[in-house]
Amino acid sequence: LSLFPKEPPSARHSAVDWSDPDLQSYPHFADARTNEVVLRPGEVLYLPTNWFHYIISLTLNFQCNTRSGINTEYMKPIHDCGF
């Protein structure tokens, strides 16, 4: 997913503009697997630690992000991404 260097504040962020990906510069992004979710008022979406996400707000909303711990099941993919 073409990660920026590990140093903050860019750590864990992709260099790809997900709203308009440049597939010539980042050809592997075309192979990224995605899910699209539309939340309704009162709904919550839980993403495991280190999962990438891209948010488009359709209306005024509030977001709260927190880290929840690491499950060993995800350690290999996380390591393969450079973390």
Coordinates of all heavy atoms in Angstrom, one line a residue:
L1 N 0.8 -1.2 0.0 CA 0.0 0.0 0.0 C 0.8 1.3 0.0 O 0.4 2.3 0.3 CB -1.0 0.0 1.2 CG -2.0 -1.1 1.1 CD1 -2.8 -1.2 2.4 CD2 -2.9 -1.0 -0.1
S2 N 2.1 1.1 -0.3 CA 3.0 2.3 -0.5 C 3.1 3.1 0.7 O 2.7 4.3 0.7 CB 2.6 3.1 -1.7 OG 2.7 2.2 -2.9
L3 N 3.5 2.6 1.8 CA 3.6 3.3 3.1 C 4.7 4.3 3.1 O 5.7 4.2 2.5 CB 3.8 2.3 4.2 CG 2.8 1.2 4.4 CD1 3.2 0.3 5.6 CD2 1.4 1.7 4.6
F4 N 4.4 5.4 3.8 CA 5.4 6.4 4.1 C 6.4 5.8 5.1 O 6.2 4.8 5.7 CB 4.8 7.7 4.7 CG 4.1 8.6 3.7 CD1 2.7 8.8 3.8 CD2 4.8 9.2 2.7 CE1 2.1 9.7 3.0 CE2 4.1 10.0 1.8 CZ 2.8 10.3 1.9
P5 N 7.6 6.5 5.3 CA 8.5 6.0 6.3 C 7.9 5.9 7.6 O 6.9 6.5 7.9 CB 9.6 7.1 6.3 CG 9.5 7.7 4.9 CD 8.0 7.7 4.6
K6 N 8.5 5.1 8.5 CA 7.9 4.8 9.8 C 7.8 5.9 10.8 O 7.1 5.9 11.8 CB 8.7 3.6 10.5 CG 8.5 2.3 9.8 CD 9.2 1.2 10.6 CE 9.1 -0.1 9.9 NZ 9.9 -1.1 10.6
E7 N 8.6 7.0 10.5 CA 8.7 8.1 11.5 C 7.3 8.9 11.5 O 6.7 9.1 10.5 CB 9.8 9.1 11.1 CG 11.2 8.5 11.2 CD 11.6 7.6 10.1 OE1 11.1 7.8 8.9 OE2 12.4 6.7 10.3
P8 N 6.9 9.3 12.7 CA 5.7 10.1 12.8 C 6.0 11.4 12.1 O 7.1 11.9 12.0 CB 5.5 10.3 14.3 CG 6.3 9.2 14.9 CD 7.4 8.9 14.0
P9 N 5.0 12.2 11.6 CA 3.6 11.9 11.8 C 3.0 11.0 10.7 O 1.9 10.7 10.6 CB 2.9 13.2 11.7 CG 3.8 14.0 10.8 CD 5.2 13.5 11.0
S10 N 3.9 10.6 9.7 CA 3.4 9.8 8.6 C 3.4 8.3 8.8 O 2.9 7.6 7.9 CB 4.3 10.1 7.4 OG 4.2 11.5 7.0
A11 N 3.8 7.8 9.9 CA 3.9 6.4 10.1 C 2.5 5.8 9.9 O 1.5 6.4 10.3 CB 4.4 6.1 11.5
R12 N 2.4 4.7 9.3 CA 1.2 3.9 9.1 C 0.3 4.5 8.0 O -0.8 4.1 7.9 CB 0.4 3.7 10.4 CG 1.2 2.9 11.4 CD 0.4 2.7 12.7 NE -0.4 3.8 13.1 CZ 0.0 4.8 13.9 NH1 1.2 4.8 14.4 NH2 -0.9 5.7 14.3
H13 N 0.7 5.5 7.3 CA -0.1 6.2 6.3 C 0.4 5.8 4.9 O 1.6 5.6 4.7 CB -0.1 7.7 6.4 CG -0.8 8.1 7.7 ND1 -0.2 8.9 8.6 CD2 -2.0 7.9 8.1 CE1 -1.0 9.1 9.6 NE2 -2.1 8.6 9.4
S14 N -0.5 5.7 4.0 CA -0.2 5.3 2.6 C 0.1 6.6 1.8 O -0.6 7.6 2.0 CB -1.4 4.6 2.0 OG -1.2 4.4 0.6
A15 N 1.0 6.5 0.9 CA 1.4 7.6 0.0 C 0.3 7.7 -1.2 O 0.3 8.7 -1.9 CB 2.7 7.4 -0.6
V16 N -0.5 6.7 -1.3 CA -1.5 6.7 -2.4 C -2.7 7.6 -2.0 O -3.2 7.5 -0.9 CB -2.0 5.3 -2.6 CG1 -3.1 5.2 -3.7 CG2 -0.9 4.3 -3.0
D17 N -3.2 8.4 -2.9 CA -4.4 9.1 -2.7 C -5.6 8.2 -3.1 O -5.8 7.9 -4.2 CB -4.5 10.3 -3.7 CG -5.8 11.1 -3.6 OD1 -6.7 10.7 -2.9 OD2 -5.9 12.1 -4.3
W18 N -6.2 7.6 -2.1 CA -7.2 6.6 -2.3 C -8.4 7.1 -3.0 O -9.1 6.3 -3.6 CB -7.6 6.0 -0.9 CG -6.5 5.1 -0.3 CD1 -5.2 5.3 -0.4 CD2 -6.7 4.0 0.5 NE1 -4.5 4.4 0.3 CE2 -5.4 3.5 0.9 CE3 -7.8 3.3 1.0 CZ2 -5.3 2.4 1.7 CZ3 -7.7 2.3 1.8 CH2 -6.4 1.8 2.2
S19 N -8.7 8.4 -3.0 CA -9.8 8.9 -3.8 C -9.5 9.0 -5.3 O -10.4 9.1 -6.1 CB -10.3 10.2 -3.2 OG -9.3 11.2 -3.4
D20 N -8.2 9.0 -5.6 CA -7.8 9.1 -7.0 C -6.4 8.5 -7.2 O -5.5 9.2 -7.4 CB -7.8 10.6 -7.4 CG -7.6 10.8 -8.9 OD1 -7.8 9.8 -9.7 OD2 -7.1 11.9 -9.3
P21 N -6.4 7.2 -7.0 CA -5.0 6.5 -7.1 C -4.3 6.6 -8.4 O -4.9 6.5 -9.4 CB -5.3 5.1 -6.7 CG -6.8 4.9 -7.0 CD -7.4 6.2 -6.9
D22 N -3.0 6.9 -8.3 CA -2.2 7.0 -9.5 C -1.6 5.6 -9.7 O -0.6 5.2 -9.1 CB -1.0 8.0 -9.3 CG -0.1 8.1 -10.4 OD1 -0.2 7.3 -11.4 OD2 0.8 9.0 -10.4
L23 N -2.3 4.8 -10.6 CA -1.9 3.4 -10.7 C -0.6 3.2 -11.6 O 0.0 2.2 -11.6 CB -3.0 2.6 -11.4 CG -4.3 2.6 -10.5 CD1 -5.4 1.8 -11.2 CD2 -4.0 2.0 -9.1
Q24 N -0.1 4.3 -12.2 CA 1.2 4.2 -12.9 C 2.3 4.3 -11.8 O 3.3 3.6 -11.9 CB 1.3 5.3 -13.9 CG 0.5 5.1 -15.2 CD 0.9 6.1 -16.3 OE1 1.1 7.2 -16.0 NE2 0.9 5.6 -17.5
S25 N 2.1 5.1 -10.8 CA 3.1 5.3 -9.8 C 3.0 4.1 -8.8 O 4.0 3.7 -8.2 CB 3.0 6.6 -9.1 OG 3.2 7.7 -10.0
Y26 N 1.8 3.7 -8.5 CA 1.5 2.7 -7.5 C 0.7 1.5 -8.1 O -0.5 1.3 -7.8 CB 0.7 3.3 -6.3 CG 1.4 4.5 -5.7 CD1 1.0 5.8 -6.0 CD2 2.5 4.3 -4.9 CE1 1.6 6.9 -5.5 CE2 3.2 5.4 -4.4 CZ 2.7 6.7 -4.7 OH 3.4 7.8 -4.1
P27 N 1.2 0.7 -9.1 CA 0.5 -0.3 -9.8 C -0.1 -1.4 -8.9 O -1.2 -1.9 -9.2 CB 1.5 -0.8 -10.8 CG 2.8 -0.5 -10.2 CD 2.6 0.8 -9.5
H28 N 0.6 -1.7 -7.8 CA 0.1 -2.7 -6.9 C -1.2 -2.3 -6.2 O -1.9 -3.2 -5.7 CB 1.1 -3.2 -5.9 CG 2.3 -3.8 -6.6 ND1 2.2 -5.0 -7.2 CD2 3.6 -3.5 -6.7 CE1 3.4 -5.4 -7.8 NE2 4.2 -4.4 -7.4
F29 N -1.5 -1.1 -6.1 CA -2.7 -0.6 -5.4 C -4.0 -1.1 -6.1 O -5.0 -1.3 -5.5 CB -2.7 0.9 -5.4 CG -3.8 1.4 -4.5 CD1 -3.7 1.4 -3.1 CD2 -5.0 1.9 -5.0 CE1 -4.6 1.9 -2.2 CE2 -6.0 2.4 -4.1 CZ -5.8 2.4 -2.8
A30 N -3.9 -1.4 -7.4 CA -5.0 -2.0 -8.2 C -5.4 -3.4 -7.6 O -6.5 -3.8 -7.8 CB -4.6 -2.1 -9.6
D31 N -4.5 -4.0 -6.9 CA -4.7 -5.4 -6.4 C -5.2 -5.3 -4.9 O -5.5 -6.4 -4.4 CB -3.5 -6.2 -6.4 CG -3.0 -6.4 -7.8 OD1 -3.8 -6.5 -8.7 OD2 -1.8 -6.5 -8.0
A32 N -5.3 -4.1 -4.4 CA -5.8 -4.0 -3.0 C -7.2 -4.5 -2.9 O -8.1 -4.2 -3.7 CB -5.7 -2.5 -2.5
R33 N -7.5 -5.3 -1.8 CA -8.9 -5.8 -1.6 C -9.6 -4.8 -0.7 O -9.0 -4.2 0.3 CB -8.8 -7.1 -0.9 CG -8.3 -8.2 -1.9 CD -8.3 -9.6 -1.3 NE -7.3 -9.6 -0.2 CZ -7.3 -10.6 0.7 NH1 -8.2 -11.5 0.7 NH2 -6.3 -10.6 1.6
T34 N -10.8 -4.5 -0.9 CA -11.6 -3.5 -0.2 C -12.9 -4.0 0.2 O -13.5 -5.0 -0.3 CB -11.8 -2.2 -1.0 OG1 -12.6 -2.5 -2.2 CG2 -10.4 -1.6 -1.5
N35 N -13.5 -3.3 1.2 CA -14.9 -3.4 1.6 C -15.5 -2.0 1.7 O -14.8 -1.1 2.1 CB -15.0 -4.1 3.0 CG -14.5 -5.5 3.0 OD1 -15.1 -6.4 2.3 ND2 -13.5 -5.8 3.7
E36 N -16.7 -1.9 1.3 CA -17.4 -0.6 1.4 C -18.5 -0.7 2.5 O -19.3 -1.7 2.4 CB -18.0 -0.2 0.1 CG -18.6 1.2 0.2 CD -19.1 1.7 -1.2 OE1 -18.4 1.4 -2.2 OE2 -20.1 2.3 -1.2
V37 N -18.5 0.2 3.4 CA -19.5 0.1 4.5 C -20.1 1.5 4.6 O -19.4 2.5 4.6 CB -18.8 -0.2 5.8 CG1 -19.8 -0.2 7.0 CG2 -18.1 -1.6 5.7
V38 N -21.4 1.6 4.7 CA -22.1 2.8 5.0 C -22.8 2.6 6.3 O -23.6 1.7 6.5 CB -23.2 3.1 3.9 CG1 -24.0 4.4 4.2 CG2 -22.5 3.3 2.5
L39 N -22.4 3.5 7.3 CA -23.0 3.4 8.6 C -24.2 4.3 8.8 O -24.2 5.4 8.2 CB -21.9 3.8 9.7 CG -20.7 2.9 9.7 CD1 -19.7 3.4 10.7 CD2 -21.1 1.5 10.1
R40 N -25.1 3.9 9.5 CA -26.3 4.7 9.8 C -26.2 5.3 11.2 O -25.3 4.8 12.0 CB -27.6 3.9 9.8 CG -27.8 3.3 8.4 CD -29.1 2.6 8.3 NE -29.3 2.0 6.9 CZ -29.7 0.8 6.7 NH1 -29.9 0.0 7.6 NH2 -29.8 0.4 5.4
P41 N -26.9 6.3 11.6 CA -26.8 6.9 12.9 C -26.9 5.8 14.0 O -27.8 4.9 13.9 CB -28.1 7.8 13.0 CG -28.3 8.2 11.6 CD -28.0 7.0 10.8
G42 N -26.0 5.9 15.0 CA -26.0 5.0 16.1 C -25.1 3.7 15.8 O -24.9 3.0 16.7
E43 N -24.7 3.5 14.6 CA -23.9 2.3 14.3 C -22.4 2.6 14.5 O -22.0 3.7 14.4 CB -24.1 1.9 12.8 CG -25.5 1.4 12.6 CD -25.8 0.9 11.2 OE1 -25.1 1.4 10.2 OE2 -26.6 -0.1 11.0
V44 N -21.7 1.5 14.7 CA -20.2 1.6 15.0 C -19.5 0.6 14.1 O -20.0 -0.5 13.9 CB -20.0 1.3 16.5 CG1 -18.5 1.2 16.8 CG2 -20.6 2.3 17.4
L45 N -18.4 1.0 13.6 CA -17.5 0.1 12.8 C -16.3 -0.2 13.6 O -15.6 0.8 14.0 CB -17.2 0.6 11.5 CG -16.3 -0.2 10.6 CD1 -16.9 -1.5 10.2 CD2 -15.9 0.6 9.3
Y46 N -16.0 -1.4 13.9 CA -14.7 -1.8 14.6 C -13.7 -2.3 13.5 O -14.1 -3.2 12.8 CB -15.0 -2.9 15.6 CG -13.7 -3.5 16.2 CD1 -13.0 -2.8 17.2 CD2 -13.2 -4.6 15.7 CE1 -11.8 -3.3 17.7 CE2 -12.0 -5.1 16.2 CZ -11.3 -4.4 17.2 OH -10.1 -4.9 17.7
L47 N -12.5 -1.7 13.5 CA -11.5 -2.2 12.7 C -10.3 -2.7 13.6 O -9.9 -2.0 14.5 CB -10.9 -1.1 11.8 CG -11.9 -0.5 10.8 CD1 -11.3 0.7 10.1 CD2 -12.2 -1.6 9.7
P48 N -9.8 -3.9 13.3 CA -8.7 -4.4 14.1 C -7.5 -3.4 14.0 O -7.3 -2.7 13.0 CB -8.4 -5.7 13.5 CG -9.7 -6.2 12.8 CD -10.3 -4.9 12.3
T49 N -6.6 -3.5 15.0 CA -5.4 -2.7 15.0 C -4.6 -2.8 13.7 O -4.5 -3.9 13.2 CB -4.6 -3.0 16.2 OG1 -5.3 -2.7 17.4 CG2 -3.3 -2.3 16.2
N50 N -4.2 -1.7 13.1 CA -3.3 -1.7 11.9 C -4.0 -1.9 10.6 O -3.4 -2.1 9.6 CB -2.1 -2.5 12.1 CG -1.1 -2.0 13.1 OD1 -0.9 -0.8 13.2 ND2 -0.6 -2.9 13.9
W51 N -5.4 -2.0 10.6 CA -6.1 -2.2 9.4 C -6.2 -0.8 8.7 O -6.5 0.2 9.4 CB -7.5 -2.7 9.6 CG -7.5 -4.2 9.7 CD1 -6.6 -5.0 10.3 CD2 -8.5 -5.1 9.2 NE1 -7.0 -6.3 10.2 CE2 -8.2 -6.4 9.5 CE3 -9.7 -4.9 8.6 CZ2 -8.9 -7.5 9.2 CZ3 -10.5 -5.9 8.2 CH2 -10.1 -7.3 8.5
F52 N -6.0 -0.7 7.4 CA -6.1 0.5 6.7 C -7.5 0.9 6.5 O -8.4 0.0 6.4 CB -5.4 0.4 5.4 CG -3.9 0.6 5.4 CD1 -3.1 -0.5 5.6 CD2 -3.3 1.8 5.4 CE1 -1.8 -0.4 5.7 CE2 -2.0 2.0 5.4 CZ -1.2 0.8 5.6
H53 N -7.8 2.2 6.5 CA -9.2 2.6 6.2 C -9.2 4.0 5.6 O -8.2 4.7 5.7 CB -10.0 2.6 7.5 CG -9.5 3.5 8.6 ND1 -8.4 3.2 9.4 CD2 -9.8 4.8 9.0 CE1 -8.1 4.1 10.2 NE2 -9.0 5.1 10.0
Y54 N -10.2 4.2 4.8 CA -10.4 5.5 4.1 C -11.8 5.9 4.3 O -12.7 5.1 4.1 CB -10.1 5.3 2.6 CG -10.3 6.5 1.8 CD1 -9.4 7.6 1.8 CD2 -11.4 6.6 0.9 CE1 -9.6 8.7 1.1 CE2 -11.6 7.7 0.2 CZ -10.8 8.8 0.3 OH -11.0 9.9 -0.5
I55 N -12.0 7.1 4.8 CA -13.3 7.6 5.3 C -13.8 8.7 4.3 O -13.1 9.6 4.0 CB -13.2 8.1 6.7 CG1 -12.8 7.0 7.6 CG2 -14.6 8.7 7.1 CD1 -12.5 7.5 9.0
I56 N -15.0 8.5 3.9 CA -15.7 9.6 3.2 C -17.0 9.9 4.0 O -17.8 9.0 4.3 CB -16.2 9.2 1.8 CG1 -14.9 8.9 0.9 CG2 -17.0 10.3 1.1 CD1 -15.3 8.3 -0.4
S57 N -17.1 11.1 4.5 CA -18.3 11.5 5.2 C -19.4 12.0 4.3 O -19.2 13.0 3.5 CB -17.9 12.7 6.2 OG -16.9 12.2 7.1
L58 N -20.5 11.4 4.4 CA -21.7 11.8 3.5 C -22.4 12.9 4.1 O -23.1 13.7 3.4 CB -22.6 10.6 3.3 CG -21.9 9.3 2.7 CD1 -22.9 8.2 2.6 CD2 -21.3 9.7 1.3
T59 N -22.4 13.0 5.5 CA -23.0 14.1 6.2 C -22.1 14.5 7.4 O -21.1 13.8 7.6 CB -24.4 13.7 6.7 OG1 -24.3 12.6 7.6 CG2 -25.3 13.4 5.6
L60 N -22.5 15.4 8.2 CA -21.8 15.8 9.4 C -21.7 14.5 10.3 O -22.7 13.8 10.5 CB -22.5 16.9 10.2 CG -21.9 17.3 11.5 CD1 -20.5 17.9 11.3 CD2 -22.8 18.3 12.2
N61 N -20.5 14.2 10.8 CA -20.4 13.1 11.7 C -19.3 13.3 12.7 O -18.5 14.3 12.6 CB -20.1 11.8 10.8 CG -18.8 11.8 10.2 OD1 -17.8 11.6 10.9 ND2 -18.7 12.2 8.9
F62 N -19.1 12.4 13.6 CA -18.1 12.4 14.6 C -17.4 11.1 14.5 O -18.0 10.0 14.4 CB -18.7 12.7 16.0 CG -19.3 14.0 16.1 CD1 -20.7 14.1 15.9 CD2 -18.6 15.1 16.4 CE1 -21.3 15.3 16.0 CE2 -19.2 16.3 16.5 CZ -20.6 16.5 16.3
Q63 N -16.0 11.1 14.7 CA -15.2 9.9 14.7 C -14.4 9.8 15.9 O -13.9 10.8 16.4 CB -14.3 9.9 13.4 CG -15.0 10.1 12.1 CD -14.1 10.3 11.0 OE1 -12.9 10.0 11.1 NE2 -14.5 11.0 10.0
C64 N -14.2 8.6 16.4 CA -13.3 8.4 17.5 C -12.4 7.2 17.2 O -12.9 6.1 16.9 CB -14.2 8.1 18.8 SG -13.2 7.7 20.2
N65 N -11.1 7.4 17.2 CA -10.2 6.4 16.9 C -9.4 6.0 18.2 O -9.0 6.9 18.9 CB -9.2 6.8 15.8 CG -9.9 7.1 14.5 OD1 -10.8 6.3 14.1 ND2 -9.5 8.2 13.9
T66 N -9.2 4.7 18.4 CA -8.3 4.3 19.5 C -7.7 3.0 19.1 O -8.2 2.3 18.2 CB -9.2 4.1 20.7 OG1 -8.3 3.8 21.8 CG2 -10.2 3.1 20.6
R67 N -6.6 2.7 19.6 CA -5.9 1.4 19.4 C -6.4 0.4 20.4 O -6.5 0.7 21.6 CB -4.4 1.5 19.5 CG -3.8 2.6 18.6 CD -3.4 1.9 17.2 NE -2.8 2.9 16.4 CZ -3.5 3.4 15.3 NH1 -4.7 3.0 15.0 NH2 -2.9 4.3 14.5
S68 N -6.6 -0.9 19.9 CA -7.2 -1.8 20.8 C -6.3 -3.0 21.2 O -6.8 -4.0 21.7 CB -8.5 -2.3 20.2 OG -8.2 -3.0 19.0
G69 N -5.1 -3.1 20.8 CA -4.3 -4.2 21.1 C -4.1 -5.0 19.8 O -4.7 -4.8 18.8
I70 N -3.2 -6.0 19.9 CA -2.8 -6.7 18.7 C -3.1 -8.2 18.9 O -2.7 -8.8 19.9 CB -1.3 -6.5 18.5 CG1 -1.0 -5.1 18.2 CG2 -0.8 -7.4 17.3 CD1 0.4 -4.7 18.0
N71 N -3.7 -8.8 17.9 CA -4.0 -10.2 17.9 C -2.9 -10.9 17.1 O -2.5 -10.4 16.1 CB -5.4 -10.4 17.2 CG -5.8 -11.9 17.2 OD1 -4.9 -12.8 17.0 ND2 -7.1 -12.1 17.2
T72 N -2.3 -12.0 17.6 CA -1.2 -12.6 17.0 C -1.5 -13.1 15.6 O -0.7 -13.3 14.8 CB -0.7 -13.8 17.8 OG1 -1.7 -14.7 18.1 CG2 -0.1 -13.3 19.2
E73 N -2.8 -13.3 15.3 CA -3.2 -13.7 14.0 C -2.8 -12.7 12.9 O -2.6 -13.1 11.7 CB -4.8 -13.9 13.9 CG -5.3 -14.3 12.6 CD -6.9 -14.4 12.6 OE1 -7.4 -14.4 13.7 OE2 -7.4 -14.4 11.6
Y74 N -2.7 -11.5 13.2 CA -2.4 -10.4 12.3 C -0.9 -10.0 12.2 O -0.5 -9.2 11.5 CB -3.2 -9.2 12.6 CG -4.7 -9.4 12.5 CD1 -5.5 -9.4 13.7 CD2 -5.3 -9.7 11.4 CE1 -6.8 -9.6 13.7 CE2 -6.7 -10.0 11.3 CZ -7.4 -10.0 12.5 OH -8.8 -10.2 12.4
M75 N -0.1 -10.7 13.0 CA 1.3 -10.3 13.1 C 2.1 -10.5 11.8 O 2.9 -9.6 11.4 CB 2.0 -11.0 14.3 CG 1.5 -10.6 15.6 SD 1.5 -8.8 15.9 CE 3.2 -8.5 15.9
K76 N 1.9 -11.6 11.1 CA 2.6 -11.8 9.8 C 2.2 -10.7 8.8 O 3.1 -10.1 8.2 CB 2.4 -13.2 9.3 CG 3.2 -13.4 8.0 CD 3.1 -14.8 7.5 CE 3.8 -15.0 6.2 NZ 4.4 -14.0 5.4
P77 N 0.9 -10.4 8.5 CA 0.6 -9.4 7.6 C 1.2 -8.0 8.0 O 1.6 -7.2 7.2 CB -0.9 -9.4 7.5 CG -1.3 -10.7 8.0 CD -0.3 -11.2 8.9
I78 N 1.1 -7.7 9.3 CA 1.6 -6.5 9.8 C 3.1 -6.4 9.6 O 3.7 -5.4 9.1 CB 1.3 -6.3 11.3 CG1 -0.2 -6.1 11.4 CG2 2.0 -5.1 11.9 CD1 -0.7 -6.1 12.8
H79 N 3.8 -7.5 9.9 CA 5.3 -7.6 9.7 C 5.6 -7.4 8.2 O 6.6 -6.7 7.8 CB 5.8 -8.9 10.2 CG 7.3 -9.0 10.0 ND1 8.2 -8.3 10.7 CD2 8.0 -9.8 9.1 CE1 9.4 -8.6 10.3 NE2 9.3 -9.6 9.3
D80 N 4.8 -8.1 7.3 CA 5.1 -8.0 5.9 C 4.9 -6.6 5.3 O 5.5 -6.2 4.3 CB 4.1 -8.9 5.1 CG 4.4 -10.4 5.4 OD1 5.5 -10.7 5.9 OD2 3.5 -11.2 5.0
C81 N 4.1 -5.8 6.0 CA 3.9 -4.4 5.6 C 5.0 -3.5 6.2 O 5.1 -2.3 5.9 CB 2.6 -3.8 6.1 SG 1.2 -4.4 5.2
G82 N 5.9 -4.0 7.0 CA 7.0 -3.2 7.5 C 6.9 -2.7 8.9 O 7.7 -1.9 9.3
F83 N 6.0 -3.2 9.7 CA 5.8 -2.8 11.1 C 6.4 -3.9 12.0 O 6.2 -5.0 11.8 CB 4.4 -2.5 11.4 CG 3.8 -1.4 10.6 CD1 3.0 -1.6 9.5 CD2 4.2 -0.1 10.9 CE1 2.5 -0.5 8.8 CE2 3.7 1.0 10.2 CZ 2.8 0.8 9.2

